[in-house]
Amino acid sequence: MKICLIACSIFLIGGSSVLGKVSHLLVASLGDGVSLSDKSGKTKAVNQATFLPFNTKLSVRPKSGIETLAAGYQFRFGSSTAFVCEEQSIELFSGSIFVRSRKITNALNLKGPEASIRLSGAGSCLINLEPNGGFKCVGVLGKIILSLNGKSSASILPGEIVFTNLTENVFSDKLVVDLHNLFETSFLISGFSNSQSFLDSLKSVSESQKLFIGKTFDATVGSAKKPEVFEINNETQPSNALAQFSNDTSNLSYKKKGYEVTDSLPLQELLGRKPKRLSVYSDEFPSTTIPTPDKINSEKSSVVDPTTRPFPSRLLRGN
């Protein structure tokens, strides 16, 4: 009996560790796909419908991309992305990835040269490795909870973007990304085959964002080259989604709420035209003419005094 219980406990412990592994099944390859370097230093392509090896550096070829499936996850790796798959984490050396978590209990560690973040919750997000070694995270669908080195946390909803502040070891303030532009220009979203339900969800959140933001101004979010800051530019983004292989999630356009201050007078802005000053007198006395007292008295004399008017009941009796 004891032997049976010990065997069952060993099986459960071993089973839990196996279930904790995030095994990536390669389901789609675009362009030249992904390759690995064997022990002899030779490059070998990874075939579709196979599992990506653990603890082996993988490199997505330029102008290419791959899509993988794992238990409760969907991943997409962009052009020139170098990474290593570990049992419960991904180590990213360059490039960008798309993560879709299907279960609210999911948790995944993502390692970079200068920062490590933990993703949990149910939703989708885009993650780009920045030149400073940190991360840029953009919410796409659902709600993703981020934890930076176990000290700082942030939750991102669709259209929200945060950077890792490496100096203070916290996340930056949130910005708002133009989702419609993001969905059209990001290769990790538009460059792959998407289900109709996923496309409907993207359309729904982008339309909702347009109604919520209202009046906006155009700008672009650049890269984080220093440990504590990131760039904001005013450049126009290309509209060809399939052309953005080398930089999938950088230079994303974003919008903020705001009011544009004009040089016009407040009353002119309210009316939509120049205000006109009206006369305080009647048409008989234009504003450029000051009436004399005699003129005013003569007008008053022509008005019937209410006290001299007959009482209404007398009119009815004929008196």
Side-chain angles (χ1 to χ4, degrees), residues 115-133:
S116 296
I117 60 176
R118 184 178 180 87
L119 286 75
S120 59
S124 305
C125 65
L126 291 168
I127 301 177
N128 189 78
L129 184 64
E130 296 298 285
N132 64 357

Side-chain angles (χ1 to χ4, degrees), residues 32-53:
D32 296 329
V34 63
S35 61
L36 58 85
S37 298
D38 56 17
K39 296 181 180 180
S40 62
K42 295 182 180 180
T43 302
K44 180 182 178 181
V46 180
N47 296 327
Q48 194 169 324
T50 60
F51 286 96
L52 299 181

Side-chain angles (χ1 to χ4, degrees), residues 73-77 96-101 108 110 117-128 136-146 155-162 179 182-183 186 188-189 198 202 249 252:
Y73 287 101
Q74 176 187 7
F75 296 91
R76 290 174 181 176
F77 298 82
S96 56
I97 65 173
F98 167 86
V99 181
R100 185 178 184 182
S101 174
L108 176 71
L110 187 62
I117 60 176
R118 184 178 180 87
L119 286 75
S120 59
S124 305
C125 65
L126 291 168
I127 301 177
N128 189 78
K136 175 170 59 180
C137 308
V138 186
V140 177
L141 290 175
K143 180 180 180 181
I144 296 295
I145 302 174
L146 305 172
S155 58
I156 52 175
L157 299 175
E160 295 181 343
I161 174 174
V162 293
L179 287 176
L182 172 64
F183 297 156
S186 175
L188 289 175
I189 295 179
F198 183 67
L202 296 180
T249 60
L252 299 177

Side-chain angles (χ1 to χ4, degrees), residues 284-285 291-304:
E284 185 178 359
F285 304 123
T292 62
D294 297 338
K295 184 70 173 177
I296 296 176
N297 292 332
S298 63
E299 289 295 324
K300 288 183 178 180
S301 61
S302 62
V303 178
V304 178

Side-chain angles (χ1 to χ4, degrees), residues 2 67-68 73 93 115 118 138 142 157 183 218 248 250 278-279 293 296 299 309 318:
K2 292 182 178 179
E67 183 177 21
T68 65
Y73 287 101
F93 299 99
R118 184 178 180 87
V138 186
L157 299 175
F183 297 156
D218 294 329
D248 298 324
S250 64
L278 302 177
S279 173
I296 296 176
E299 289 295 324
R309 293 179 180 177

Side-chain angles (χ1 to χ4, degrees), residues 18-318:
V18 172
L19 292 176
K21 290 184 179 180
V22 181
S23 300
H24 294 259
L25 176 64
L26 183 60
V27 295
S29 295
L30 302 181
D32 296 329
V34 63
S35 61
L36 58 85
S37 298
D38 56 17
K39 296 181 180 180
S40 62
K42 295 182 180 180
T43 302
K44 180 182 178 181
V46 180
N47 296 327
Q48 194 169 324
T50 60
F51 286 96
L52 299 181
F54 287 114
N55 303 319
T56 302
K57 188 173 183 179
L58 303 167
S59 300
V60 180
R61 307 298 298 171
K63 296 185 178 181
S64 303
I66 63 170
E67 183 177 21
T68 65
L69 292 179
Y73 287 101
Q74 176 187 7
F75 296 91
R76 290 174 181 176
F77 298 82
S79 171
S80 302
T81 298
F83 63 99
V84 170
C85 292
E86 299 178 357
E87 291 186 359
Q88 294 181 344
S89 63
I90 299 175
E91 185 174 3
L92 197 63
F93 299 99
S94 63
S96 56
I97 65 173
F98 167 86
V99 181
R100 185 178 184 182
S101 174
R102 302 180 184 275
K103 298 180 180 179
I104 196 171
T105 57
N106 283 347
L108 176 71
N109 295 324
L110 187 62
K111 302 178 182 178
E114 299 295 336
S116 296
I117 60 176
R118 184 178 180 87
L119 286 75
S120 59
S124 305
C125 65
L126 291 168
I127 301 177
N128 189 78
L129 184 64
E130 296 298 285
N132 64 357
F135 294 103
K136 175 170 59 180
C137 308
V138 186
V140 177
L141 290 175
K143 180 180 180 181
I144 296 295
I145 302 174
L146 305 172
S147 177
L148 176 60
N149 296 329
K151 298 181 179 179
S152 175
S153 62
S155 58
I156 52 175
L157 299 175
E160 295 181 343
I161 174 174
V162 293
F163 287 80
T164 53
N165 187 330
L166 302 179
T167 301
E168 301 179 5
N169 200 22
V170 295
F171 287 104
S172 67
D173 295 335
K174 296 179 183 179
L175 298 176
V176 180
V177 182
D178 182 358
L179 287 176
H180 179 73
N181 181 62
L182 172 64
F183 297 156
E184 289 186 349
T185 58
S186 175
F187 167 70
L188 289 175
I189 295 179
S190 61
F192 288 78
S193 177
N194 297 302
S195 64
Q196 188 60 44
S197 61
F198 183 67
L199 293 176
D200 293 340
S201 299
L202 296 180
K203 182 179 179 181
S204 177
V205 295
S206 63
E207 291 178 350
S208 299
Q209 187 194 52
K210 285 183 179 180
L211 297 175
F212 176 75
I213 289 180
K215 191 175 182 64
T216 61
F217 63 89
D218 294 329
T220 58
V221 179
S223 302
K225 297 181 180 179
K226 297 182 180 180
E228 72 282 0
V229 297
F230 54 90
E231 298 174 344
I232 295 181
N233 306 316
N234 289 318
E235 300 175 358
T236 303
Q237 300 306 309
S239 59
N240 187 358
L242 298 181
Q244 291 189 318
F245 284 96
S246 60
N247 205 358
D248 298 324
T249 60
S250 64
N251 293 331
L252 299 177
S253 66
Y254 82 101
K255 297 186 175 183
K256 278 187 175 180
K257 300 178 184 178
Y259 175 78
E260 184 179 356
V261 180
T262 63
D263 297 331
S264 60
L265 297 175
L267 185 58
Q268 179 178 348
E269 184 179 357
L270 177 63
L271 298 175
R273 57 173 175 79
K274 291 184 178 181
K276 296 180 180 180
R277 188 177 299 275
L278 302 177
S279 173
V280 296
Y281 303 99
S282 62
D283 295 336
E284 185 178 359
F285 304 123
S287 60
T288 56
T289 304
I290 300 177
T292 62
D294 297 338
K295 184 70 173 177
I296 296 176
N297 292 332
S298 63
E299 289 295 324
K300 288 183 178 180
S301 61
S302 62
V303 178
V304 178
D305 188 1
T307 58
T308 61
R309 293 179 180 177
F311 196 73
S313 63
R314 297 177 181 177
L315 295 176
L316 294 176
R317 293 195 299 267

